[in-house]
């Protein structure tokens, strides 16, 4: 009996920390949730402020574009493409395009071309991260391969979306879809942010204000990242869904969901590298994931259009999203196997040697430069 008593006492002592841990867990969850909410609120505040600064400073960029004789869809396509390379993200460039259009610095067709260019260059972050892994950790070139596939997917789907999007925009088939900013939101922006932007407009050069807005936009996305859970560490649920992740349609939906959660295609696409290296995602699964990610990433651009109180800007984004989604779904449902085989074969050829890879890099940088300058 004495031994049983001692064992019971020991068991109660060892169980006590676990009970305390369970008791503390709700508090920890509440604290973490509160911190994430605070980061999200701060990111949203910076996002609105950055958009308003971009709108005020848009004249400075308009002067540069005029000086460089950059006008028309092709020039703005190259401008958006190069801009997304520079900031390694498409969302800030698309938001800048909406600000330029809202300030009447560019036309609707030029805005459509610029946000299309932001899609073409957004996947460059995957190639860049893959290169860093290859150079610093002496791993295989799988990360580079994933980047090449992601870029090829964007090129082949969104370049055709530009002429079709311009046709749809000029025909007015989506003109009925215009969403104005809610009155309460407009009043909030006017009361809170107008005094700050008005003071900046009085004392600073337009181009400096625009640069401040662009920097604020990048910071706002970084702050939003702090509000998100760590998605890079695969969970038990991901382990259980490992077989499902090999199906193209499941990967397409996953790309939609993850990008809608993170509000950044750069973040969601970069997750492909650790997931692929750990065997969760096959190379064939990269393509539908990128398809889905490049569609739901327009959510934050639509939000930017609403915050700028520009119904026509919303129509532009919706047109690009609808056309791109239609092309992607048609390829996924009707021609996925030949499309994926061709894309993976091209990526394999790019990765055959340093010469082929250098030619690929040269082409993806030279083409947008030519588009911007012609």
């Amino acid at each position: 009996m004495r031994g049983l008593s001692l064992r019971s006492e020991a068991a109660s002592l060892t169980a006590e920390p676990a009970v305390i841990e369970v008791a503390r867990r709700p508090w920890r969850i509440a604290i973490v949730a509160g911190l994430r909410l605070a980061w999200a609120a701060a990111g949203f505040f910076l996002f609105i402020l950055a958009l308003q600064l971009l709108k005020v400073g848009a004249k400075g960029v308009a002067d540069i574009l005029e000086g460089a004789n950059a006008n028309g869809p092709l020039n703005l396509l190259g401008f958006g493409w190069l801009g997304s390379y520079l900031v390694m993200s498409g969302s800030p460039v698309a938001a800048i395009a909406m600000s330029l259009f809202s300030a009447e610095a560019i036309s609707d067709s030029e805005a459509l071309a610029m946000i299309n260019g932001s899609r073409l260059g957004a996947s460059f972050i995957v190639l860049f991260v893959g290169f860093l892994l290859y150079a610093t950790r002496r791993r295989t070139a799988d990360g580079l391969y994933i980047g090449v596939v992601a870029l090829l997917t964007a090129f082949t789907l969104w370049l055709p979306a530009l002429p079709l999007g311009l046709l749809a925009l000029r025909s007015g088939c989506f003109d009925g879809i215009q969403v104005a900013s809610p009155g309460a939101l407009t009043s909030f922006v006017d009361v809170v942010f107008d005094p700050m932007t008005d003071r900046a407009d009085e004392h600073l050069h337009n181009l400096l204000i625009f640069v401040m807005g662009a920097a604020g936009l990048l910071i706002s996305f970084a702050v939003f990242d702090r509000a998100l859970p760590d998605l890079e560490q695969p969970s038990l649920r991901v382990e259980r869904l490992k077989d499902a992740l090999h199906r193209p349609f499941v990967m397409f939906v996953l790309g939609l969901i993850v990008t809608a959660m993170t509000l950044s295609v750069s973040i969601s696409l970069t997750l492909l590298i650790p997931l692929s290296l750990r065997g969760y995602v096959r190379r064939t699964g990269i393509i539908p994931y990128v398809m889905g990610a490049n569609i739901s990433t327009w959510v934050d651009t639509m939000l930017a259009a609403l915050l700028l109180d520009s119904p026509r800007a919303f129509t532009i984004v919706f047109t690009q999203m609808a056309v791109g989604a239609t092309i992607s779904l048609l390829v996924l449902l009707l021609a996925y196997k030949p499309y994926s085989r061709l894309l993976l074969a091209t990526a394999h050829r790019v990765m055959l040697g340093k010469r082929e890879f250098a030619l690929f890099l040269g082409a993806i940088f030279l083409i947008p430069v030519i588009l911007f300058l012609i």
Side-chain angles (χ1 to χ4, degrees):
M1 294 293 291
R2 175 64 178 170
L4 179 60
S5 176
L6 289 174
R7 285 195 296 271
S8 300
E9 184 177 349
S12 65
L13 289 174
T14 56
E16 186 175 353
V19 173
I20 294 175
E21 182 66 24
V22 171
R24 289 178 178 174
R25 193 171 298 168
W27 289 103
R28 290 184 178 181
I29 294 174
I31 291 172
V32 171
L35 288 174
R36 294 194 189 283
L37 184 61
W39 281 115
F44 187 64
F45 181 89
L46 288 173
F47 183 69
I48 300 176
L49 177 60
L51 286 174
Q52 301 309 310
L53 289 172
L54 288 170
K55 185 176 180 179
V56 172
K59 187 178 183 301
V61 176
D63 293 339
I64 293 177
L65 292 175
E66 184 178 350
N69 198 27
N71 55 75
L74 288 181
N75 286 162
L76 271 295
L77 172 66
F79 184 60
W81 194 340
L82 290 172
S84 59
Y85 281 167
L86 181 63
V87 301
M88 293 192 184
S89 179
S91 296
V93 177
I96 289 172
M98 293 298 95
S99 298
L100 290 173
F101 174 76
S102 180
E104 299 182 356
I106 58 177
S107 67
D108 54 358
S109 59
E110 289 171 336
L112 183 81
M114 186 171 170
I115 65 174
N116 183 277
S118 73
R119 286 300 94 236
L120 300 177
S123 301
F124 180 73
I125 180 64
V126 187
L127 188 66
F128 181 75
V129 172
F131 175 77
L132 290 181
L133 289 174
Y134 177 75
T136 60
R137 300 187 183 182
R138 299 183 181 276
R139 295 188 179 184
T140 63
D142 283 354
L144 291 173
Y145 181 88
I146 294 169
V148 171
V149 173
L151 282 167
L152 289 174
T153 304
F155 296 159
T156 53
L157 293 177
W158 290 95
L159 275 175
L162 177 59
L164 294 176
L166 289 173
L167 182 63
L169 192 67
R170 290 167 181 170
S171 67
C173 60
F174 293 116
D175 283 358
I177 303 175
Q178 293 191 5
V179 180
S181 178
L185 180 60
T186 303
S187 300
F188 171 76
V189 172
D190 292 342
V191 171
V192 176
F193 297 97
D194 278 1
M196 290 183 278
T197 55
D198 289 344
R199 180 163 296 186
D201 192 24
E202 291 174 1
H203 297 92
L204 299 175
H205 191 275
N206 285 328
L207 187 58
L208 179 58
I209 296 173
F210 188 87
V211 171
M212 290 171 57
L217 204 60
L218 294 175
I219 294 171
S220 72
F221 280 104
V223 173
F224 270 127
D225 293 348
R226 300 294 297 270
L228 300 171
D230 183 10
L231 297 176
E232 290 194 10
Q233 297 296 330
S235 64
L236 182 60
R237 290 183 179 180
V238 176
E239 291 279 2
R240 292 173 178 172
L241 292 173
K242 192 172 180 179
D243 291 337
L245 293 178
H246 299 325
R247 300 173 185 172
F249 191 76
V250 172
M251 289 300 296
F252 177 81
V253 174
L254 185 64
L256 283 171
I257 294 173
V258 174
T259 308
M261 289 172 56
T262 60
L263 292 179
S264 173
V265 74
S266 300
I267 298 171
S268 64
L269 290 186
T270 305
L271 292 176
L272 283 172
I273 294 179
L275 291 176
S276 179
L277 292 177
R278 292 167 185 161
Y280 289 91
V281 177
R282 293 177 182 172
R283 291 182 172 183
T284 53
I286 299 169
I287 298 171
Y289 183 95
V290 175
M291 286 180 173
N294 277 321
I295 294 172
S296 58
T297 190
W298 295 113
V299 171
D300 58 350
T301 312
M302 286 182 168
L303 177 61
L306 288 175
L307 291 171
L308 291 167
D309 195 21
S310 177
R312 181 62 175 173
F314 188 92
T315 304
I316 294 170
V317 181
F318 183 86
T319 300
Q320 183 72 102
M321 182 179 180
V323 173
T326 301
I327 294 174
S328 298
L329 285 171
L330 287 175
V331 171
L332 182 67
L333 298 175
L334 303 179
Y336 178 72
K337 286 187 177 180
Y339 173 77
S340 62
R341 282 197 297 264
L342 178 61
L343 214 63
L344 294 176
T346 304
H348 179 73
R349 185 167 184 81
V350 169
M351 297 299 298
L352 279 178
K354 293 181 179 179
R355 178 176 173 272
E356 289 80 2
F357 187 69
L359 288 173
F360 175 76
L361 283 180
I364 66 173
F365 278 99
L366 184 61
I367 292 174
V369 169
I370 293 174
L371 290 171
F372 178 63
L373 295 177
I374 58 174

